Amino acid sequence: MSTASAHPHLTVLPPLPDSPPAPIEGVVVEKTTAIEKPRPSWLGTAVNHAKDHRAYLPLVSRGYRRLGARWVDGYHDDYPHMIATARQAVAASADVAEHAALEQRKTDLRQAYKRHRLIYSTKTGMWATTAVTAAGAGTLSGGFWVALATGLGAYLYGIRHGVADEPTATAGEGPAAVGGTAPAAPGVRGVDDLITALIKAGIITESQRAETRIIGGIRPDGPGWSATIELPKGMKAVAVTSKGGELASALRKKGLQLEFKPDPSATAHEGMASLWVADSPTPFAGPKVYSQLIDAPRWHFWRDGIPLGMDARQGRQTLNLIWSSMLIGGLQDYGKSYLARLIASAAALDPTVRIIVITGKTGPDWAPLKSIAHRYIAGSDPDTIREIFNLMTSTIEEMQARGTELDRLFEEEPHKVPEGKITPELAANGMGPVLVIVEELQELLDGAAITKMAMPDDDSENPRLVSAKGPLVDLFARFNRLTRYVLGMGVYITQRPDANSVPTELRDVCIKRASFRTKTRNSSEMILGEEAVKAGATPHALLESSKGIFVLDEGAEDGYRTLRGDVIDLPAFAKICERGRQLRIDAGTLTGDAAAREERAQRAAEARLLIGGCLRVMADLGRDAAQLDEFASAAAMDPDSLADELRAAGVIRPDKVTIPGKGRVRGYDRACLEAALKGL
């Protein structure tokens, strides 16, 4: 039987050739190993990219090297450098007290280093234990995929830190540049650049580079950076800090951005300077800052001082004027009166402070103080100059009487004057501060120069007349010297800083000095003194736009400060003085001119009330004239007493008035009452 006959529906195929034919589309061919599914293009690109970049293994290696270096830097945290610096300072110190302080600092640094390493190592161990535990638990519980994700994460983390751009620390750079942190400032990449700037500024020479050190490196400091510079041996900091302008130019900064002065720290020596550089080219820019005194209901002048304003680091600054006097100078329209107004406002809000105002010209600037000032004198004519002499002489005598009282108290009740000076308790009981404000000093001295008067100690019948300028300067200086320990304080303001308007003998007894913009170095020295300008104070470098900015030298070891003063405008000043007047009325300390002014105001108010009552009587009677008896009857007063009060109120009774039904009689008409009312 044949196969074909068993399956008639199948076609008999021809014999197979020696080589198989090409596969036909749609037919599955068994064992066709030559055909592969094409790979996606993106995968090929990724593979090629990984091959070209060696699978980013160099970046992973670099990243973990950086992480390790960063850990080491954090572990040491600059302590070895600081300890080495302290050790060098100990070796260089010759002073016994300073040597002991430096040894203590070295010991403290070592102890702090030990604590830091322990804390840092503990934190690192805790984080490492947590990470290893989490990774191990995930691998055991999740198997291959968790292990793969963990490894991939570690791989990518290394790449991330290997790619990041980090600046390389300059050799010899201080702590601010160690560990890959950002450089201190644009243009200053390290201590080498700063020393180069010192050379370009003419502060040191190239041969002195190796002798100059930047102690502690360049470090961030508020809105800027700072450095402590140890100059070569034999060079004093006070001799070079006046070159702040040249250093600013070398650093490509504005002069206002720099504070360059002798280092005031306890461990510094004569050859160490402190430098601070603001990040902003306009560190004092910004809207006006109104003084907190504007809203203060009361102020403690003795305890709280005078809030002045802020420095370039945005730090609030306060002035303590107790036991001292102050000179304020500079060109006009730059803010001298505003600074003096801050002092006057703080004094006005303390009812224990007696205020005396002497101004060389009339005007509204100080008029609000009339309501609280013990004396208020304005002008520079000869009669006014003589009045100022009498005032200052009597004030000095009164303050010396305080000294006599202090002597008595020291003998009888020494616990009340432990230091031989007035205490806050004595100040609150009648011995409060006495503040003398002298405005327009140059006008007063010009007026005194043309005023002839006898010398104060010349009691002869025909005394020799001399110019009053010299004696007036002596009188102001004498007040500063003799009354300081009994709380006498002088504030002198001048807008023409030269030898004629700022005599040296007056400036030298003003411990605190403030200078706004001046035109020349000589003018700055006339206000602040030669030593302050040598130390780097440069109000002559202030710009035309530097309104409200001043250089303050308080005679302290920390030297000068450049500040931007707070603002109290004239309407706000008037409100402060009104509060001060009420505080003094309540405390019973309103005296002198202000007390007389208050008394006059009260009398005027009573007179207005009296005259107003008389006008109402006329209105009730329906006529413009009335007799004294009619007023007295309505007021239930004795006619003679009422007549005296009307006379005291300024009412001038006419000879006769016409009253309907009575004819011409003695009495008062509306015109005389209204005239008196207008004159009050």
Side-chain angles (χ1 to χ4, degrees), residues 156-173:
L156 294 175
Y157 189 70
I159 293 175
R160 162 69 181 82
H161 287 278
V163 171
D165 292 330
E166 298 187 9
T168 303
T170 304
E173 195 169 340

Side-chain angles (χ1 to χ4, degrees), residues 382-395:
D383 289 339
T384 302
I385 296 297
R386 296 185 182 95
E387 186 180 359
I388 293 171
F389 264 91
N390 294 333
L391 168 62
M392 293 303 298
T393 301
S394 63
T395 301

Side-chain angles (χ1 to χ4, degrees), residues 474-661:
D474 292 339
L475 198 58
F476 285 146
R478 187 165 176 257
F479 170 81
N480 290 0
R481 292 194 307 270
L482 296 182
T483 70
R484 185 178 72 86
Y485 80 108
V486 286
L487 297 185
M489 301 170 291
V491 175
Y492 305 90
I493 307 113
T494 180
Q495 66 178 15
R496 198 174 63 217
D498 54 34
N500 292 324
S501 63
V502 188
T504 304
E505 56 267 36
L506 178 57
R507 184 197 66 208
D508 288 347
V509 291
C510 292
I511 298 175
K512 302 180 188 295
R513 304 161 192 170
S515 178
F516 288 79
R517 182 176 180 242
T518 60
K519 287 187 176 180
T520 65
R521 179 190 177 97
N522 183 60
S523 295
S524 299
E525 291 178 349
M526 290 307 304
I527 300 169
L528 298 179
E530 185 177 354
E531 291 301 318
V533 175
K534 280 184 178 179
T538 54
H540 48 284
L542 293 174
L543 307 176
E544 188 174 349
S545 59
S546 302
K547 294 184 182 295
I549 300 173
F550 59 94
V551 179
L552 175 66
D553 184 2
E554 298 190 67
E557 291 183 356
D558 58 352
Y560 69 93
R561 292 177 287 170
T562 302
L563 307 176
R564 180 190 177 199
D566 291 342
V567 174
I568 298 177
D569 54 27
L570 196 56
F573 184 49
K575 292 180 180 178
I576 289 173
C577 291
E578 182 60 29
R579 292 203 301 275
R581 181 188 72 87
Q582 190 58 50
L583 287 171
R584 283 165 174 75
I585 292 173
D586 296 341
T589 56
L590 196 67
T591 60
D593 292 352
R597 178 187 174 94
E598 180 66 19
E599 186 178 349
R600 288 194 300 271
Q602 290 181 355
R603 288 200 302 266
E606 293 171 357
R608 291 190 188 93
L609 186 62
L610 177 63
I611 295 172
C614 294
L615 289 172
R616 283 194 297 274
V617 170
M618 287 184 181
D620 292 342
L621 294 173
R623 58 178 186 257
D624 293 334
Q627 291 180 289
L628 181 62
D629 291 342
E630 293 174 309
F631 291 152
S633 176
M637 291 179 63
D638 177 68
D640 292 337
S641 299
L642 180 58
D644 291 341
E645 290 191 16
L646 287 171
R647 191 179 306 109
V651 177
I652 301 175
R653 186 171 65 177
D655 291 337
K656 295 290 180 83
V657 295
T658 301
I659 297 178

Side-chain angles (χ1 to χ4, degrees), residues 169 318 321 375 449 498 552:
T318 300
L321 197 59
R375 289 299 310 275
D498 54 34
L552 175 66

Side-chain angles (χ1 to χ4, degrees), residues 114 116 288 348 351 381 633:
K114 290 180 181 178
H116 170 76
K288 291 181 180 179
D381 58 272
S633 176

Side-chain angles (χ1 to χ4, degrees), residues 1-59:
M1 175 180 271
S2 68
T3 305
S5 61
H7 301 281
H9 59 281
L10 293 180
T11 304
V12 178
L13 296 176
L16 292 175
D18 295 336
S19 60
I24 301 175
E25 185 177 359
V27 178
V28 177
V29 181
E30 188 176 359
K31 296 183 181 180
T32 55
T33 57
I35 302 299
E36 295 181 1
K37 188 176 180 179
R39 186 170 56 186
S41 59
W42 63 267
L43 181 59
T45 302
V47 171
N48 292 333
H49 183 81
K51 290 179 179 179
D52 293 341
H53 292 81
R54 292 182 290 176
Y56 292 102
L57 290 177
L59 291 180

